[in-house]
Amino acid sequence: MNEKPLVVDLDGTLIHSDMLHESALRVFRDSPFETLRIPFLLKKGKAFLKQHLASLTEFDPKTLPYNEKLLEWLKQQRAEGRHLVLCTASDSAIANRIAEHLGIFDDVIASDGVSNIEGRHKAAALVQRFQQHGFDYAGNSNADLAVWSQADKAIVVNGSSDLIKKARNISTVDRVFPKREIGFTAWRRVLRIHQWLKNTLLLVPLFAAHDVSNGEAWLSLLLAFMAFSLCASSVYIANDLLDLDSDRLHPRKRNRPFASGLVPAWKGVLLAPLLLIVSLSVAVFVGKQFFFWLVCYFTLTCAYSWVLKRLMLVDCLTLAMLYTLRIVAGAAAVGHELSFWLLAFSVFLFLSLAFVKRYAELEVQLLSGKEKIHGRGYHTADAPLIQTMGIVAGYTSVLVLALYLNSDAVLKLYASPKLIWGAIPVMLFWVSWMWMQAHRGEMHDDPLVFAVKDRASLSAGVIFAAILVAGTVGVSW
């Protein structure tokens, strides 16, 4: 047994995250104006800033993205009787809560509002406590090189090959815990590229007006699609950063790149505004009206992320409006007028899908034995009522479609108007099918993502499109 104490870093080592960054994000989420004070608080020292942010926020140590392989090894070391010390630049209030939760550390050394225990300051504190070369140290960054130079052995966690090489030049590297690579799949999930499919709703006005041969309109829509997609990714990143706590309590969302710590939060903080700037720059080329609706979409999405998603029913209405805004923006991009029928159909259909999304989340929480969705205004007991309202909204959208098919507009647009009535049973089937899948607990968190992967939904979409094409071209009875 190694009798020398094993000292373990927290941020980026024991957990795949940084508690300072997370504290700042929680303050930004809960008290946005408080973040304006950060530059002034920083003048009093980094340790003071950490203590102040820690005092303003709460976190659940059980949900943090721990390095499971390292933690398993630490537990083995503890079982063999080794003295374990958690030594971190994070504030002592945070470090003590994590140590108390894990129950494997004999001592905690952390920043205290005056001293920032990082780099050479950490090295000095450990040498004073255990003497030079009187301890082993597990760390993950260049700041830990100063500590490894004073340690007996180095344990490199989540380090690059360059860092491992530097550590070997100044100390004996006893063990290496490999760094998780951030590949294309991770960045695809960060941007949620699969969600860009929703932005094909921009094309609806062009097809509804039977103007698909307009080449100039297609160019505008291509730019509009790029602008909306980049804007949506920017919002998704911001939403993920502000929703870390709720995501970590969800059985699937906890594996998202930011919630799991695979991608550092600071990269998201830089990427989100960059994507937004590029999005707005592209939108300028589409036109003023489109730019206006894109800004409305972004504003409403931000309001949803900060406040509206926590308000019962308001959240679903907002989601329905966000879907509908894509259709409105698509019309603005090509300069078409929107009909009352299309707007009414969209609002009711997307309201139904929003209720599907919330119902699916309630079912997940119900199976987990929880009574409420974290960060939402719903109780699991609300699921039957949400289901009823969603089904009613879905069938109402079909009713609007039926009334539209009896209007004068259909006679002008379609060569065989009666044939279009075939779309009614297709829509009735699809709405019923989606709710049946949700009721059985087979619905994805996002119903549109589910629909593009579901064979029955894709078949219904193909049949629906074929009926519209046949009605447009004209088929004899």
Side-chain angles (χ1 to χ4, degrees):
M1 183 189 72
N2 192 333
E3 296 181 355
K4 292 186 178 181
L6 174 57
V7 182
V8 184
D9 180 41
L10 175 64
D11 301 310
T13 302
L14 182 60
I15 61 173
H16 294 295
S17 187
D18 188 297
M19 293 307 296
L20 174 59
H21 298 161
E22 292 206 10
S23 295
L25 285 170
R26 290 188 182 95
V27 170
F28 182 63
R29 178 194 63 196
D30 300 332
S31 306
F33 293 107
E34 184 69 29
T35 56
L36 299 177
R37 297 183 57 200
I38 289 181
F40 303 99
L41 295 172
L42 193 56
K43 291 182 179 180
K44 297 182 179 181
K46 201 171 181 180
F48 180 83
L49 173 63
K50 292 177 180 179
Q51 185 180 64
H52 179 74
L53 293 178
S55 68
L56 294 176
T57 60
E58 285 291 332
F59 74 99
D60 186 353
K62 296 192 298 293
T63 65
L64 292 176
Y66 292 99
N67 187 324
E68 295 298 338
K69 292 184 179 180
L70 174 64
L71 189 56
E72 182 181 353
W73 181 67
L74 292 176
K75 290 178 179 178
Q76 292 175 355
Q77 296 294 301
R78 171 71 173 178
E80 294 173 3
R82 194 168 187 185
H83 186 82
L84 300 186
V85 180
L86 180 62
C87 187
T88 173
S90 288
D91 187 71
S92 58
I94 291 175
N96 285 322
R97 285 196 62 188
I98 293 174
E100 181 181 357
H101 163 65
L102 293 176
I104 61 173
F105 293 102
D106 300 286
D107 200 0
V108 176
I109 302 173
S111 299
D112 57 4
V114 178
S115 300
N116 186 40
I117 307 300
E118 184 178 24
R120 59 186 179 87
H121 296 291
K122 181 183 287 189
L126 291 174
V127 169
Q128 183 179 8
R129 178 75 65 91
F130 304 111
Q131 299 184 345
Q132 189 176 30
H133 305 307
F135 63 93
D136 295 342
Y137 179 72
N140 73 294
S141 68
N142 285 319
D144 294 315
L145 291 170
V147 186
W148 282 323
S149 68
Q150 304 299 317
D152 182 49
K153 294 180 180 178
I155 295 92
V156 183
V157 184
N158 293 330
S160 63
S161 57
D162 184 58
L163 179 66
I164 296 172
K165 183 178 179 180
K166 290 179 181 178
R168 283 175 174 156
N169 289 335
I170 60 175
S171 181
T172 301
V173 175
D174 180 59
R175 186 178 292 265
V176 173
F177 289 88
K179 182 179 182 180
R180 298 186 300 175
E181 296 299 327
I182 307 175
F184 171 76
T185 300
W187 286 112
R188 175 179 58 79
R189 292 169 61 203
V190 166
L191 298 175
R192 295 203 211 174
I193 292 178
H194 63 283
Q195 298 282 9
W196 290 5
L197 286 170
K198 297 177 183 178
N199 298 325
T200 55
L201 291 172
L202 292 162
L203 306 177
V204 170
L206 190 70
F207 281 94
H210 294 192
D211 194 23
V212 292
S213 61
N214 190 334
E216 185 177 347
W218 277 104
L219 178 60
S220 295
L221 286 173
L222 176 62
L223 293 175
F225 180 85
M226 291 174 56
F228 245 88
S229 297
L230 295 177
C231 180
S233 291
S234 172
V235 173
Y236 288 138
I237 291 173
N239 187 66
D240 286 351
L241 292 174
L242 296 177
D243 225 14
L244 290 175
D245 296 326
S246 296
D247 285 351
R248 287 170 180 166
L249 291 171
H250 194 279
R252 288 188 293 269
K253 294 180 181 180
R254 65 185 180 186
N255 295 318
R256 285 178 173 176
F258 293 117
S260 66
L262 178 60
V263 178
W266 66 266
K267 291 187 177 182
V269 172
L270 294 178
L271 184 58
L274 177 62
L275 291 174
L276 179 62
I277 291 172
V278 176
S279 169
L280 295 177
S281 299
V282 173
V284 170
F285 291 98
V286 180
K288 292 182 179 180
Q289 286 191 350
F290 174 79
F291 182 88
F292 170 78
W293 288 116
L294 180 62
V295 171
C296 288
Y297 168 82
F298 175 74
T299 304
L300 185 58
T301 308
C302 289
Y304 174 80
S305 297
W306 259 291
V307 180
L308 301 181
K309 69 181 179 182
R310 296 178 178 84
L311 303 179
M312 181 177 59
L313 300 180
V314 174
D315 62 333
C316 291
L317 289 168
T318 303
L319 287 174
M321 293 307 300
L322 288 172
Y323 283 122
T324 305
L325 272 176
R326 289 175 167 90
I327 296 177
V328 175
V334 295
H336 286 171
E337 290 288 335
L338 274 175
S339 70
F340 161 80
W341 298 109
L342 180 57
L343 283 175
F345 172 76
S346 301
V347 169
F348 283 112
L349 179 61
F350 295 132
L351 180 60
S352 179
L353 295 179
F355 280 130
V356 166
K357 176 182 175 69
R358 200 60 72 228
Y359 177 81
E361 291 179 352
L362 286 169
E363 287 294 294
V364 170
Q365 299 304 315
L366 185 62
L367 292 174
S368 302
K370 298 178 181 178
E371 296 182 357
K372 189 176 181 181
I373 301 181
H374 185 273
R376 301 290 189 271
Y378 297 92
H379 297 270
T380 51
D382 298 327
L385 183 58
I386 294 297
Q387 183 183 42
T388 300
M389 291 189 292
I391 294 173
V392 169
Y395 286 161
T396 301
S397 70
V398 181
L399 176 61
V400 171
L401 177 62
L403 293 174
Y404 164 71
L405 295 180
N406 197 40
S407 67
D408 294 336
V410 174
L411 298 176
K412 297 177 182 178
L413 289 174
Y414 295 96
S416 299
K418 292 183 180 179
L419 189 61
I420 306 300
W421 277 94
I424 300 298
V426 176
M427 282 299 302
L428 285 172
F429 165 80
W430 185 68
V431 170
S432 304
W433 174 261
M434 293 291 282
W435 275 104
M436 184 66 75
Q437 299 309 301
H439 180 71
R440 291 180 175 180
E442 299 177 5
M443 178 58 61
H444 187 274
D445 296 323
D446 192 310
L448 286 185
V449 174
F450 171 85
V452 298
K453 297 179 179 180
D454 176 55
R455 290 184 179 180
S457 297
L458 291 174
S459 298
V462 170
I463 295 172
F464 186 87
I467 290 173
L468 295 183
V469 170
T472 303
V473 175
V475 177
S476 58
W477 292 87

